[in-house]
Amino acid sequence: TCTIWGDPHIDVFDSGILGKEKVPAAGIYSTGDYWLVKSDLVQIQGRYGTTQFTESGMSAMLALAVGGPFLRNHTLIIQQIDGGSVLYDGEPVVEDFPSEFVESFMRIQYKEGEKHIDGVLKGYPVKLLRVFLPRTVDLRVNRWSKHIDA
């Protein structure tokens, strides 16, 4: 499991598993596009930038892009709610809340969530984007007005 939240904190995939020592959450504090997963089959990038809620020039995740051969070379982009969309090959999907988008090899559900990725936002209702992808990749994104947590 990899978890990304806030301004930003990142718990990496191999932290504390298979006998490895748990490492402190990493942070990306500048604006830009960063590789989160880059393998021959799976590519995931995060776009980071400042929002009205970030302090001292820190950044939050504004968008997540998923692609590569495992996704049959299609691209899924998930953005914040205000001014953003969920795009599949550049076309908006799951525009209504709640809603669902289905392809033969993947499914996207946009619905009310129960779990907050960032505990600081616990008092607010969660708009969850759950994406079932090939290779048993289960992507969960909390969409907020100005940023996303994954």
Side-chain angles (χ1 to χ4, degrees):
T1 302
C2 175
T3 307
I4 304 167
W5 76 100
D7 55 5
H9 310 287
I10 302 169
D11 274 338
V12 297
F13 284 106
D14 59 357
S15 182
I17 63 169
L18 300 175
K20 293 187 179 193
E21 185 177 330
K22 181 148 177 71
V23 297
I28 296 173
Y29 300 111
S30 59
T31 297
D33 296 335
Y34 295 90
W35 284 107
L36 303 174
V37 176
K38 187 176 182 185
S39 73
D40 291 340
L41 292 176
V42 180
Q43 288 106 38
I44 303 175
Q45 286 184 295
R47 172 165 288 165
Y48 292 86
T50 58
T51 72
Q52 67 192 53
F53 303 110
T54 54
E55 297 179 9
S56 304
M58 292 185 175
S59 62
M61 189 160 45
L62 306 178
L64 195 63
V66 182
F70 95 111
L71 204 55
R72 299 182 183 179
N73 294 313
H74 294 280
T75 304
L76 174 66
I77 298 174
I78 302 166
Q79 301 169 324
Q80 78 282 359
I81 295 171
D82 291 355
S85 301
V86 178
L87 304 168
Y88 180 71
D89 289 340
E91 296 297 320
V93 295
V94 295
E95 295 180 276
D96 298 323
F97 183 82
S99 60
E100 185 172 53
F101 174 77
V102 178
E103 282 282 324
S104 61
F105 58 92
M106 63 173 277
R107 184 173 81 216
I108 303 170
Q109 297 174 330
Y110 189 31
K111 61 185 184 175
E112 187 172 333
E114 297 175 3
K115 184 176 179 192
H116 291 72
I117 294 170
D118 185 351
V120 171
L121 299 170
K122 206 166 197 89
Y124 298 95
V126 177
K127 290 193 173 182
L128 172 68
L129 196 73
R130 187 157 184 199
V131 187
F132 300 92
L133 297 166
R135 303 187 64 82
T136 66
V137 174
D138 182 357
L139 178 62
R140 299 170 194 220
V141 178
N142 290 174
R143 290 185 77 206
W144 302 102
S145 62
K146 303 293 182 192
H147 76 287
I148 61 175
D149 295 320

